[in-house]
Amino acid sequence: MNTRPSLDQVGLSTGKKARLHRILHEYGVGNGTAIFLPYDHGLEHGPRDFSGHPEGGDPRNILRLALEGGFNGIALQIGLARKFYWEYAGEVPLVLKLNGKTDIPSPADPLSPVNATVEEAVRLGADAVGYTLYVGSPAQERDFAQYLRVREDAERFGMPLIVWSYPRGAAIDAKGGRDSFYAVDYAARTASELGADMVKVNFPQPGKQDGVPAAYRREFSAQQAIEAVVMSANRSLLLVSGGEQAGDEAMLEKARQSMEAGATGLIFGRNVFQRGHDDSLRLIAQLREILAKYPS
Amino acid sequence: MNTRPSLDQVGLSTGKKARLHRILHEYGVGNGTAIFLPYDHGLEHGPRDFSGHPEGGDPRNILRLALEGGFNGIALQIGLARKFYWEYAGEVPLVLKLNGKTDIPSPADPLSPVNATVEEAVRLGADAVGYTLYVGSPAQERDFAQYLRVREDAERFGMPLIVWSYPRGAAIDAKGGRDSFYAVDYAARTASELGADMVKVNFPQPGKQDGVPAAYRREFSAQQAIEAVVMSANRSLLLVSGGEQAGDEAMLEKARQSMEAGATGLIFGRNVFQRGHDDSLRLIAQLREILAKYPS
Amino acid sequence: MNTRPSLDQVGLSTGKKARLHRILHEYGVGNGTAIFLPYDHGLEHGPRDFSGHPEGGDPRNILRLALEGGFNGIALQIGLARKFYWEYAGEVPLVLKLNGKTDIPSPADPLSPVNATVEEAVRLGADAVGYTLYVGSPAQERDFAQYLRVREDAERFGMPLIVWSYPRGAAIDAKGGRDSFYAVDYAARTASELGADMVKVNFPQPGKQDGVPAAYRREFSAQQAIEAVVMSANRSLLLVSGGEQAGDEAMLEKARQSMEAGATGLIFGRNVFQRGHDDSLRLIAQLREILAKYPS
Amino acid sequence: MNTRPSLDQVGLSTGKKARLHRILHEYGVGNGTAIFLPYDHGLEHGPRDFSGHPEGGDPRNILRLALEGGFNGIALQIGLARKFYWEYAGEVPLVLKLNGKTDIPSPADPLSPVNATVEEAVRLGADAVGYTLYVGSPAQERDFAQYLRVREDAERFGMPLIVWSYPRGAAIDAKGGRDSFYAVDYAARTASELGADMVKVNFPQPGKQDGVPAAYRREFSAQQAIEAVVMSANRSLLLVSGGEQAGDEAMLEKARQSMEAGATGLIFGRNVFQRGHDDSLRLIAQLREILAKYPS
Amino acid sequence: MNTRPSLDQVGLSTGKKARLHRILHEYGVGNGTAIFLPYDHGLEHGPRDFSGHPEGGDPRNILRLALEGGFNGIALQIGLARKFYWEYAGEVPLVLKLNGKTDIPSPADPLSPVNATVEEAVRLGADAVGYTLYVGSPAQERDFAQYLRVREDAERFGMPLIVWSYPRGAAIDAKGGRDSFYAVDYAARTASELGADMVKVNFPQPGKQDGVPAAYRREFSAQQAIEAVVMSANRSLLLVSGGEQAGDEAMLEKARQSMEAGATGLIFGRNVFQRGHDDSLRLIAQLREILAKYPS
């Protein structure tokens, strides 16, 4: 088990520390952990993600859920932030997601284009910004270039930068796939080397070994894998994604393992809003119970 | 008695609303009221203000007081913000005071020069900025010009702007002085006309009538005067200053009258730190009791 | 009697014509005339102007009056525009007043400092901007310099520029005063020479002849004087101010004379809001009756 | 006796800490103390300061002295830095003095104009920049404005900013003069409030009490005064100036008192170069012996 | 044997000389030689490089190693520099590596994207910046373009530029490979022609002659090869890389040959941190012994 560092041990500027302190200690469970509600599926996957749960397509319901569920933040694209956040401004922290794309073309070289700026996030009173980095994509030259500009602005404005660090592209597919321990571990380290303040990864699957480097072609428990990923992220605080909807007990177990490994928190989207409001709140209550056991 | 408007009724952009919500509802009493701790006396008056209370000269003690006293914000000049706020970042909101001056020269035409920018306030994670406007000063041309740039930046970054609206200069002295009902009322309205989100004034003294316009040469109770000032500030939320140290009961009475009149809160500096730490906390507790009676 | 020119005869750019058309033909009487409601007295004179009419101190009442009275526009300082115009946006045209000052110091060299920009007026959806030029002030070098920047921005953004053209300063006082035919005539011409799209003047008083140049030391009727002023303004459309509150019949007579002389309209502030709401509406109805007789 | 804080306790950014560490720990005595050699007298006073010591007028001799004497830095104006520092680049740290003036005019409102930029200091490999602030000068509006730009650049480049904090002007002369305890204390605090990383002051003279505020009109020992000044500077590290040449024993005593009070070091110009090379080295050796007793 | 030039013989500006002097004479052995510790393997190869040596994955251990081992500098990517260097700021010089990439995709046309700026290096107090140039890559047009901007900034800020000059790409593979004498020699010269202040190359292998130009298809000793490479680099000081971990004696021999040939120093990463801490320190001590024999 790793010990999660406190905010004054991870090399933050004053502004980044102020904003992360608010997110981690003034909202949610308030003990230095976090659970975020990402809500950009309407762009990334289209309205099909709300199929069967039409109320999940209305941003007002999701903002209300974020507030009632005691989330530490909600991640929105600029359009929804501009038109829906005002009513909840300051009541639940805003993470402005700065890039995003549709999933209609199937790119061999994925890249998520920027569609909002850090300055706009400041203007909206956001407490963090999000950027999706496609680690391993052949488009990494353009990706790193646009990421650099985002990171510089984030430094300039003292805005915490959360990197959605996603292994993607043909080379990743050929080396164990996007959820392999190798891929997730490398993604966490890449975000850390490039200056993420927080990094969001999927839970690693050490069993996926086809084509991965020798160091990963051994037996690892899930717990060993997630602990290594926390180490690779070092001072970039780790958020573990719920990913596609799975069984509740499996999810809660992953959450426990992540927190035990020294993660800072969770980021759960479809798992939360692809169910009824009350059912969502019940799940969140269970997740909060887990977080409460890991004060920093 | 005026009714204090809530934050969604005063014409705020999303970012200003987010930040003011945090200040007014996530810190302090948390009911939409506020008590601020200004701490720029070392610049405005020099270390003599700490005479007899040397612990008041150490910014660490004052920040600790702001935290322990449950203040809604501490107002600092850039030097102290840069070197001392990191330890408390996010734990107590920061109001970066953007201008200030020494009191060594006795200017006939006072003007408080800008020594920090709104962008720097953003970088430090501040939730508001402060600007001293010398209403009635012959230097108003330069004052308005530098204020314009501050206000524009504050709009651009969604940063609440608190105007220390101080009647000053020879003309004010000739028209009843800086604390007359006339002067304070005009100062409140001026800040409102020029776009302050909050305005700090001294408590008006309706008895000071020498040289004031006819409309103010009548009998007004203190309560009538402060109510009129709140009206003049209209959607600029009013903060009433404690001014120089007076008797505690007199101060508490002013605080009650201000809140009854629809003020949003109080801003107490010397009254608070020119006494021992425990004595300060006792006074603050009394002030918080008053604020608790005025939820928005 | 001059014939008032139509909008396609006064050398307007497309954007200026579009905005002035809205003001003159889509609002108010709708026949090319205008009556404006200026409301910056809280800054220029202080709250004393609302003495005896406290409801006049609340910007909400004045905006409602502008709407119900069918005004062609309301002139506000930036603070009130930002916090109060949203509720009425588009329902009554906004004239953003770009400069202003308190009347506390009595300067020998008056200058009205800029406290908002044309770009901000665009951002707020204003249909014109206003600038006070103190014609004859010893400060004219700085005044012209800041006016130049305003005018350049107004050209760049296609924003009609209304000049409050006020004779002021010691030299004016020595040459017949601020309302002499000489002074008003010179002020109208100055605004025209410097590129005003509209110019606001006080009604000239040809009887004030002490110290005026020889050409004005003759007998002129009020009608002759106002006709000459309209000529001096040439393609800068003339607005005549109601000035301080006078008897209603006298005001209506001035209004008739102005329109007869070819003025485009009227700008009435204290005459309108320093009375009860219903009384105000009665006066405005009378003014509209006059305007209706002068279609362009 | 105050305890001098170490570099990781005074709120420094990474770049400022790196450069100050080099100055304080990699050069000179190397124990966190410093002795600087300022050499801008040729601009500030003219060549008369080299009268009787013509070799002191040759910058090569002074740079050699800085190196052989084991100084922690030499402060130069841009002209000498550009033409003389190359030979010694990196061997002795450079403090680029960014403003300066001649003493030919006797201004009532002194201001030291900027004649080099922080970027130029970076380009030359300087490890700090210096700025003279005339505390109490009627010109403080322009002084603060130009200081703001310097400070912002210093933050941007991670360059330590040393403020020569000098009480000056008519108001200072009327309140005890430039070396009074009051004036020096206020100057130290002003530099701290405005964000100096180091502040250079003259040794305070508590006996100068004519016209100083009440708090300073008591008996203070030299030791009490310098300790209070160190407190006022709080996290701005204090450098005590040697001022005009005095007797050696008096100077050494002041140096001891300063270090005992928690100062970081000394800045000695004329006292050092207005004597022969060997004599200078002997004096410096004595000063270094004092510094060696105060490791941080 | 070449004679290594001293710093005042290689055409450096003042700032570059100051910083290189510090690196070469104030740290490490201090005799004009250098040994650098590069630590960007987490990005370039992923966490697999720390497999078997998990303590090597924690940047704190590597920084401690750099300090205890007496390195002349540590090369970090921006993320680690921002979050870990503060604790060691100024104690060991920082080389900010400005570009980097993952090794997940196998590009036919390698290019290392920029993810930090020279200005950021200045801000962090770095004493040099690093840039990886893929000599021979089909992507050289974009590579040179981005290198140009880096070099210009380095000139502007007086920041020494270290070029990781790596022969790469299909054409290189077809002409003897990346370590051939031909390829390394050409890489050294290319960096020199393009303005590198220091150039890092692998030790040339004159035996690799398949496909190399005629001039290199002869017998050369290792010593002859490395001497030629130093000549090709001319006034760009040469650093020889340790490359993948080899036997210790072979490495020490290469180090001796390099220094004998006039190289300035060594840059050893995996060879150093892919072993235990004490073992690392033993190896470094041996390398320092070699460097000590080559004072400039």
Side-chain angles (χ1 to χ4, degrees), chain A residues 141 151 175 186 189 193 197 235, chain E residues 43 57 79 83 104 115 120 142:
Chain A
E141 181 186 346
R151 188 183 55 72
K175 295 182 183 177
Y186 204 158
R189 183 76 187 199
E193 296 268 348
D197 297 303
R235 287 183 174 169
Chain E
L43 176 63
K83 293 202 185 296
I104 300 171
N115 47 53
E120 232 171 342
R142 278 152 31 227

mmCIF file with all atom_site columns, all heavy atoms in Angstrom, chain A residues 141 151 175 186 189 193 197 235, chain E residues 43 57 79 83 104 115 120 142:
data_model
loop_
_atom_site.group_PDB
_atom_site.id
_atom_site.type_symbol
_atom_site.label_atom_id
_atom_site.label_alt_id
_atom_site.label_comp_id
_atom_site.label_asym_id
_atom_site.label_entity_id
_atom_site.label_seq_id
_atom_site.pdbx_PDB_ins_code
_atom_site.Cartn_x
_atom_site.Cartn_y
_atom_site.Cartn_z
_atom_site.occupancy
_atom_site.B_iso_or_equiv
_atom_site.pdbx_formal_charge
_atom_site.auth_seq_id
_atom_site.auth_comp_id
_atom_site.auth_asym_id
_atom_site.auth_atom_id
_atom_site.pdbx_PDB_model_num
ATOM 1   N N   . GLU A 1 141 ? 2.761  14.110 -32.073 1.00 0.00 ? 141 GLU A N   1
ATOM 2   C CA  . GLU A 1 141 ? 3.435  15.396 -32.313 1.00 0.00 ? 141 GLU A CA  1
ATOM 3   C C   . GLU A 1 141 ? 2.437  16.544 -32.172 1.00 0.00 ? 141 GLU A C   1
ATOM 4   O O   . GLU A 1 141 ? 2.687  17.512 -31.452 1.00 0.00 ? 141 GLU A O   1
ATOM 5   C CB  . GLU A 1 141 ? 4.064  15.393 -33.707 1.00 0.00 ? 141 GLU A CB  1
ATOM 6   C CG  . GLU A 1 141 ? 4.796  16.674 -34.038 1.00 0.00 ? 141 GLU A CG  1
ATOM 7   C CD  . GLU A 1 141 ? 5.284  16.672 -35.488 1.00 0.00 ? 141 GLU A CD  1
ATOM 8   O OE1 . GLU A 1 141 ? 5.278  15.589 -36.117 1.00 0.00 ? 141 GLU A OE1 1
ATOM 9   O OE2 . GLU A 1 141 ? 5.636  17.753 -35.997 1.00 0.00 ? 141 GLU A OE2 1
ATOM 10  N N   . ARG A 1 151 ? -1.025 23.393 -21.091 1.00 0.00 ? 151 ARG A N   1
ATOM 11  C CA  . ARG A 1 151 ? -0.294 23.309 -19.835 1.00 0.00 ? 151 ARG A CA  1
ATOM 12  C C   . ARG A 1 151 ? 0.295  24.654 -19.438 1.00 0.00 ? 151 ARG A C   1
ATOM 13  O O   . ARG A 1 151 ? 0.239  25.056 -18.264 1.00 0.00 ? 151 ARG A O   1
ATOM 14  C CB  . ARG A 1 151 ? 0.816  22.251 -19.920 1.00 0.00 ? 151 ARG A CB  1
ATOM 15  C CG  . ARG A 1 151 ? 1.490  21.977 -18.574 1.00 0.00 ? 151 ARG A CG  1
ATOM 16  C CD  . ARG A 1 151 ? 2.622  21.000 -18.679 1.00 0.00 ? 151 ARG A CD  1
ATOM 17  N NE  . ARG A 1 151 ? 3.604  21.403 -19.640 1.00 0.00 ? 151 ARG A NE  1
ATOM 18  C CZ  . ARG A 1 151 ? 4.462  22.416 -19.471 1.00 0.00 ? 151 ARG A CZ  1
ATOM 19  N NH1 . ARG A 1 151 ? 4.447  23.117 -18.353 1.00 0.00 ? 151 ARG A NH1 1
ATOM 20  N NH2 . ARG A 1 151 ? 5.318  22.711 -20.416 1.00 0.00 ? 151 ARG A NH2 1
ATOM 21  N N   . LYS A 1 175 ? 0.019  -3.987 -28.871 1.00 0.00 ? 175 LYS A N   1
ATOM 22  C CA  . LYS A 1 175 ? 0.849  -4.267 -27.682 1.00 0.00 ? 175 LYS A CA  1
ATOM 23  C C   . LYS A 1 175 ? -0.016 -4.489 -26.443 1.00 0.00 ? 175 LYS A C   1
ATOM 24  O O   . LYS A 1 175 ? 0.240  -3.911 -25.393 1.00 0.00 ? 175 LYS A O   1
ATOM 25  C CB  . LYS A 1 175 ? 1.820  -3.100 -27.440 1.00 0.00 ? 175 LYS A CB  1
ATOM 26  C CG  . LYS A 1 175 ? 2.864  -2.901 -28.540 1.00 0.00 ? 175 LYS A CG  1
ATOM 27  C CD  . LYS A 1 175 ? 3.821  -1.759 -28.201 1.00 0.00 ? 175 LYS A CD  1
ATOM 28  C CE  . LYS A 1 175 ? 4.820  -1.524 -29.332 1.00 0.00 ? 175 LYS A CE  1
ATOM 29  N NZ  . LYS A 1 175 ? 5.708  -0.386 -29.088 1.00 0.00 ? 175 LYS A NZ  1
ATOM 30  N N   . TYR A 1 186 ? 2.222  3.030  -18.524 1.00 0.00 ? 186 TYR A N   1
ATOM 31  C CA  . TYR A 1 186 ? 2.951  3.990  -19.366 1.00 0.00 ? 186 TYR A CA  1
ATOM 32  C C   . TYR A 1 186 ? 2.161  5.295  -19.474 1.00 0.00 ? 186 TYR A C   1
ATOM 33  O O   . TYR A 1 186 ? 2.720  6.401  -19.415 1.00 0.00 ? 186 TYR A O   1
ATOM 34  C CB  . TYR A 1 186 ? 3.158  3.385  -20.757 1.00 0.00 ? 186 TYR A CB  1
ATOM 35  C CG  . TYR A 1 186 ? 4.322  3.944  -21.553 1.00 0.00 ? 186 TYR A CG  1
ATOM 36  C CD1 . TYR A 1 186 ? 4.883  3.199  -22.599 1.00 0.00 ? 186 TYR A CD1 1
ATOM 37  C CD2 . TYR A 1 186 ? 4.873  5.198  -21.294 1.00 0.00 ? 186 TYR A CD2 1
ATOM 38  C CE1 . TYR A 1 186 ? 5.950  3.679  -23.358 1.00 0.00 ? 186 TYR A CE1 1
ATOM 39  C CE2 . TYR A 1 186 ? 5.937  5.690  -22.042 1.00 0.00 ? 186 TYR A CE2 1
ATOM 40  C CZ  . TYR A 1 186 ? 6.470  4.936  -23.076 1.00 0.00 ? 186 TYR A CZ  1
ATOM 41  O OH  . TYR A 1 186 ? 7.526  5.430  -23.810 1.00 0.00 ? 186 TYR A OH  1
ATOM 42  N N   . ARG A 1 189 ? 2.622  7.350  -16.323 1.00 0.00 ? 189 ARG A N   1
ATOM 43  C CA  . ARG A 1 189 ? 3.954  7.960  -16.275 1.00 0.00 ? 189 ARG A CA  1
ATOM 44  C C   . ARG A 1 189 ? 4.079  9.102  -17.281 1.00 0.00 ? 189 ARG A C   1
ATOM 45  O O   . ARG A 1 189 ? 4.690  10.141 -16.984 1.00 0.00 ? 189 ARG A O   1
ATOM 46  C CB  . ARG A 1 189 ? 5.018  6.892  -16.563 1.00 0.00 ? 189 ARG A CB  1
ATOM 47  C CG  . ARG A 1 189 ? 6.448  7.393  -16.462 1.00 0.00 ? 189 ARG A CG  1
ATOM 48  C CD  . ARG A 1 189 ? 6.891  7.562  -15.019 1.00 0.00 ? 189 ARG A CD  1
ATOM 49  N NE  . ARG A 1 189 ? 8.190  8.190  -14.875 1.00 0.00 ? 189 ARG A NE  1
ATOM 50  C CZ  . ARG A 1 189 ? 8.941  8.136  -13.781 1.00 0.00 ? 189 ARG A CZ  1
ATOM 51  N NH1 . ARG A 1 189 ? 8.510  7.481  -12.715 1.00 0.00 ? 189 ARG A NH1 1
ATOM 52  N NH2 . ARG A 1 189 ? 10.100 8.732  -13.725 1.00 0.00 ? 189 ARG A NH2 1
ATOM 53  N N   . GLU A 1 193 ? 5.259  12.810 -16.493 1.00 0.00 ? 193 GLU A N   1
ATOM 54  C CA  . GLU A 1 193 ? 6.445  13.433 -17.105 1.00 0.00 ? 193 GLU A CA  1
ATOM 55  C C   . GLU A 1 193 ? 6.077  14.748 -17.800 1.00 0.00 ? 193 GLU A C   1
ATOM 56  O O   . GLU A 1 193 ? 6.886  15.660 -17.905 1.00 0.00 ? 193 GLU A O   1
ATOM 57  C CB  . GLU A 1 193 ? 7.076  12.476 -18.128 1.00 0.00 ? 193 GLU A CB  1
ATOM 58  C CG  . GLU A 1 193 ? 7.632  11.189 -17.527 1.00 0.00 ? 193 GLU A CG  1
ATOM 59  C CD  . GLU A 1 193 ? 9.115  11.292 -17.153 1.00 0.00 ? 193 GLU A CD  1
ATOM 60  O OE1 . GLU A 1 193 ? 9.781  12.260 -17.558 1.00 0.00 ? 193 GLU A OE1 1
ATOM 61  O OE2 . GLU A 1 193 ? 9.605  10.393 -16.431 1.00 0.00 ? 193 GLU A OE2 1
ATOM 62  N N   . ASP A 1 197 ? -1.407 17.541 -13.146 1.00 0.00 ? 197 ASP A N   1
ATOM 63  C CA  . ASP A 1 197 ? -1.585 17.631 -11.699 1.00 0.00 ? 197 ASP A CA  1
ATOM 64  C C   . ASP A 1 197 ? -2.405 16.455 -11.187 1.00 0.00 ? 197 ASP A C   1
ATOM 65  O O   . ASP A 1 197 ? -2.203 15.990 -10.073 1.00 0.00 ? 197 ASP A O   1
ATOM 66  C CB  . ASP A 1 197 ? -2.261 18.949 -11.340 1.00 0.00 ? 197 ASP A CB  1
ATOM 67  C CG  . ASP A 1 197 ? -1.404 20.128 -11.735 1.00 0.00 ? 197 ASP A CG  1
ATOM 68  O OD1 . ASP A 1 197 ? -0.253 20.188 -11.271 1.00 0.00 ? 197 ASP A OD1 1
ATOM 69  O OD2 . ASP A 1 197 ? -1.856 20.967 -12.528 1.00 0.00 ? 197 ASP A OD2 1
ATOM 70  N N   . ARG A 1 235 ? 3.822  12.277 -8.420  1.00 0.00 ? 235 ARG A N   1
ATOM 71  C CA  . ARG A 1 235 ? 3.129  13.415 -7.812  1.00 0.00 ? 235 ARG A CA  1
ATOM 72  C C   . ARG A 1 235 ? 1.929  13.920 -8.629  1.00 0.00 ? 235 ARG A C   1
ATOM 73  O O   . ARG A 1 235 ? 1.363  14.961 -8.306  1.00 0.00 ? 235 ARG A O   1
ATOM 74  C CB  . ARG A 1 235 ? 4.118  14.542 -7.550  1.00 0.00 ? 235 ARG A CB  1
ATOM 75  C CG  . ARG A 1 235 ? 5.020  14.217 -6.375  1.00 0.00 ? 235 ARG A CG  1
ATOM 76  C CD  . ARG A 1 235 ? 5.973  15.339 -6.044  1.00 0.00 ? 235 ARG A CD  1
ATOM 77  N NE  . ARG A 1 235 ? 6.716  15.023 -4.818  1.00 0.00 ? 235 ARG A NE  1
ATOM 78  C CZ  . ARG A 1 235 ? 7.771  15.695 -4.378  1.00 0.00 ? 235 ARG A CZ  1
ATOM 79  N NH1 . ARG A 1 235 ? 8.223  16.734 -5.060  1.00 0.00 ? 235 ARG A NH1 1
ATOM 80  N NH2 . ARG A 1 235 ? 8.388  15.335 -3.276  1.00 0.00 ? 235 ARG A NH2 1
ATOM 81  N N   . LEU E 1 43  ? 9.356  8.672  -19.841 1.00 0.00 ? 43  LEU E N   1
ATOM 82  C CA  . LEU E 1 43  ? 8.614  9.099  -21.025 1.00 0.00 ? 43  LEU E CA  1
ATOM 83  C C   . LEU E 1 43  ? 9.098  8.364  -22.269 1.00 0.00 ? 43  LEU E C   1
ATOM 84  O O   . LEU E 1 43  ? 8.300  7.855  -23.039 1.00 0.00 ? 43  LEU E O   1
ATOM 85  C CB  . LEU E 1 43  ? 8.786  10.617 -21.231 1.00 0.00 ? 43  LEU E CB  1
ATOM 86  C CG  . LEU E 1 43  ? 8.132  11.173 -22.498 1.00 0.00 ? 43  LEU E CG  1
ATOM 87  C CD1 . LEU E 1 43  ? 6.612  10.984 -22.477 1.00 0.00 ? 43  LEU E CD1 1
ATOM 88  C CD2 . LEU E 1 43  ? 8.458  12.659 -22.681 1.00 0.00 ? 43  LEU E CD2 1
ATOM 89  N N   . GLY E 1 57  ? 12.242 4.370  -10.144 1.00 0.00 ? 57  GLY E N   1
ATOM 90  C CA  . GLY E 1 57  ? 11.060 5.019  -10.702 1.00 0.00 ? 57  GLY E CA  1
ATOM 91  C C   . GLY E 1 57  ? 10.623 6.243  -9.936  1.00 0.00 ? 57  GLY E C   1
ATOM 92  O O   . GLY E 1 57  ? 9.795  7.023  -10.406 1.00 0.00 ? 57  GLY E O   1
ATOM 93  N N   . GLY E 1 79  ? 7.415  17.929 -16.439 1.00 0.00 ? 79  GLY E N   1
ATOM 94  C CA  . GLY E 1 79  ? 6.532  17.500 -15.350 1.00 0.00 ? 79  GLY E CA  1
ATOM 95  C C   . GLY E 1 79  ? 7.310  17.206 -14.082 1.00 0.00 ? 79  GLY E C   1
ATOM 96  O O   . GLY E 1 79  ? 6.965  17.676 -12.989 1.00 0.00 ? 79  GLY E O   1
ATOM 97  N N   . LYS E 1 83  ? 7.540  19.444 -10.417 1.00 0.00 ? 83  LYS E N   1
ATOM 98  C CA  . LYS E 1 83  ? 7.025  18.886 -9.174  1.00 0.00 ? 83  LYS E CA  1
ATOM 99  C C   . LYS E 1 83  ? 8.123  18.413 -8.214  1.00 0.00 ? 83  LYS E C   1
ATOM 100 O O   . LYS E 1 83  ? 7.868  18.229 -7.029  1.00 0.00 ? 83  LYS E O   1
ATOM 101 C CB  . LYS E 1 83  ? 6.059  17.740 -9.471  1.00 0.00 ? 83  LYS E CB  1
ATOM 102 C CG  . LYS E 1 83  ? 4.772  18.226 -10.162 1.00 0.00 ? 83  LYS E CG  1
ATOM 103 C CD  . LYS E 1 83  ? 3.622  17.269 -10.006 1.00 0.00 ? 83  LYS E CD  1
ATOM 104 C CE  . LYS E 1 83  ? 2.409  17.735 -10.801 1.00 0.00 ? 83  LYS E CE  1
ATOM 105 N NZ  . LYS E 1 83  ? 1.856  19.010 -10.319 1.00 0.00 ? 83  LYS E NZ  1
ATOM 106 N N   . ILE E 1 104 ? 5.939  4.118  -28.078 1.00 0.00 ? 104 ILE E N   1
ATOM 107 C CA  . ILE E 1 104 ? 4.864  3.191  -28.429 1.00 0.00 ? 104 ILE E CA  1
ATOM 108 C C   . ILE E 1 104 ? 4.663  3.070  -29.936 1.00 0.00 ? 104 ILE E C   1
ATOM 109 O O   . ILE E 1 104 ? 4.748  1.986  -30.487 1.00 0.00 ? 104 ILE E O   1
ATOM 110 C CB  . ILE E 1 104 ? 3.560  3.567  -27.699 1.00 0.00 ? 104 ILE E CB  1
ATOM 111 C CG1 . ILE E 1 104 ? 3.789  3.507  -26.180 1.00 0.00 ? 104 ILE E CG1 1
ATOM 112 C CG2 . ILE E 1 104 ? 2.439  2.617  -28.109 1.00 0.00 ? 104 ILE E CG2 1
ATOM 113 C CD1 . ILE E 1 104 ? 2.641  4.058  -25.356 1.00 0.00 ? 104 ILE E CD1 1
ATOM 114 N N   . ASN E 1 115 ? 7.605  19.899 -25.647 1.00 0.00 ? 115 ASN E N   1
ATOM 115 C CA  . ASN E 1 115 ? 6.554  20.005 -24.638 1.00 0.00 ? 115 ASN E CA  1
ATOM 116 C C   . ASN E 1 115 ? 6.918  20.955 -23.498 1.00 0.00 ? 115 ASN E C   1
ATOM 117 O O   . ASN E 1 115 ? 6.265  20.964 -22.448 1.00 0.00 ? 115 ASN E O   1
ATOM 118 C CB  . ASN E 1 115 ? 6.149  18.626 -24.112 1.00 0.00 ? 115 ASN E CB  1
ATOM 119 C CG  . ASN E 1 115 ? 7.362  17.809 -23.764 1.00 0.00 ? 115 ASN E CG  1
ATOM 120 O OD1 . ASN E 1 115 ? 8.206  18.274 -23.013 1.00 0.00 ? 115 ASN E OD1 1
ATOM 121 N ND2 . ASN E 1 115 ? 7.477  16.611 -24.329 1.00 0.00 ? 115 ASN E ND2 1
ATOM 122 N N   . GLU E 1 120 ? 10.280 28.676 -19.827 1.00 0.00 ? 120 GLU E N   1
ATOM 123 C CA  . GLU E 1 120 ? 9.953  27.869 -18.652 1.00 0.00 ? 120 GLU E CA  1
ATOM 124 C C   . GLU E 1 120 ? 11.234 27.384 -17.960 1.00 0.00 ? 120 GLU E C   1
ATOM 125 O O   . GLU E 1 120 ? 11.293 27.304 -16.731 1.00 0.00 ? 120 GLU E O   1
ATOM 126 C CB  . GLU E 1 120 ? 9.108  26.679 -19.084 1.00 0.00 ? 120 GLU E CB  1
ATOM 127 C CG  . GLU E 1 120 ? 7.841  26.546 -18.280 1.00 0.00 ? 120 GLU E CG  1
ATOM 128 C CD  . GLU E 1 120 ? 6.887  25.511 -18.844 1.00 0.00 ? 120 GLU E CD  1
ATOM 129 O OE1 . GLU E 1 120 ? 7.031  25.123 -20.026 1.00 0.00 ? 120 GLU E OE1 1
ATOM 130 O OE2 . GLU E 1 120 ? 6.000  25.084 -18.086 1.00 0.00 ? 120 GLU E OE2 1
ATOM 131 N N   . ARG E 1 142 ? 10.297 19.417 -40.291 1.00 0.00 ? 142 ARG E N   1
ATOM 132 C CA  . ARG E 1 142 ? 9.574  19.873 -39.112 1.00 0.00 ? 142 ARG E CA  1
ATOM 133 C C   . ARG E 1 142 ? 10.501 19.940 -37.902 1.00 0.00 ? 142 ARG E C   1
ATOM 134 O O   . ARG E 1 142 ? 10.373 20.807 -37.029 1.00 0.00 ? 142 ARG E O   1
ATOM 135 C CB  . ARG E 1 142 ? 8.391  18.948 -38.828 1.00 0.00 ? 142 ARG E CB  1
ATOM 136 C CG  . ARG E 1 142 ? 7.181  19.294 -39.694 1.00 0.00 ? 142 ARG E CG  1
ATOM 137 C CD  . ARG E 1 142 ? 6.247  18.132 -40.005 1.00 0.00 ? 142 ARG E CD  1
ATOM 138 N NE  . ARG E 1 142 ? 6.175  17.124 -39.003 1.00 0.00 ? 142 ARG E NE  1
ATOM 139 C CZ  . ARG E 1 142 ? 6.251  15.793 -39.250 1.00 0.00 ? 142 ARG E CZ  1
ATOM 140 N NH1 . ARG E 1 142 ? 6.417  15.347 -40.490 1.00 0.00 ? 142 ARG E NH1 1
ATOM 141 N NH2 . ARG E 1 142 ? 6.178  14.928 -38.270 1.00 0.00 ? 142 ARG E NH2 1
#
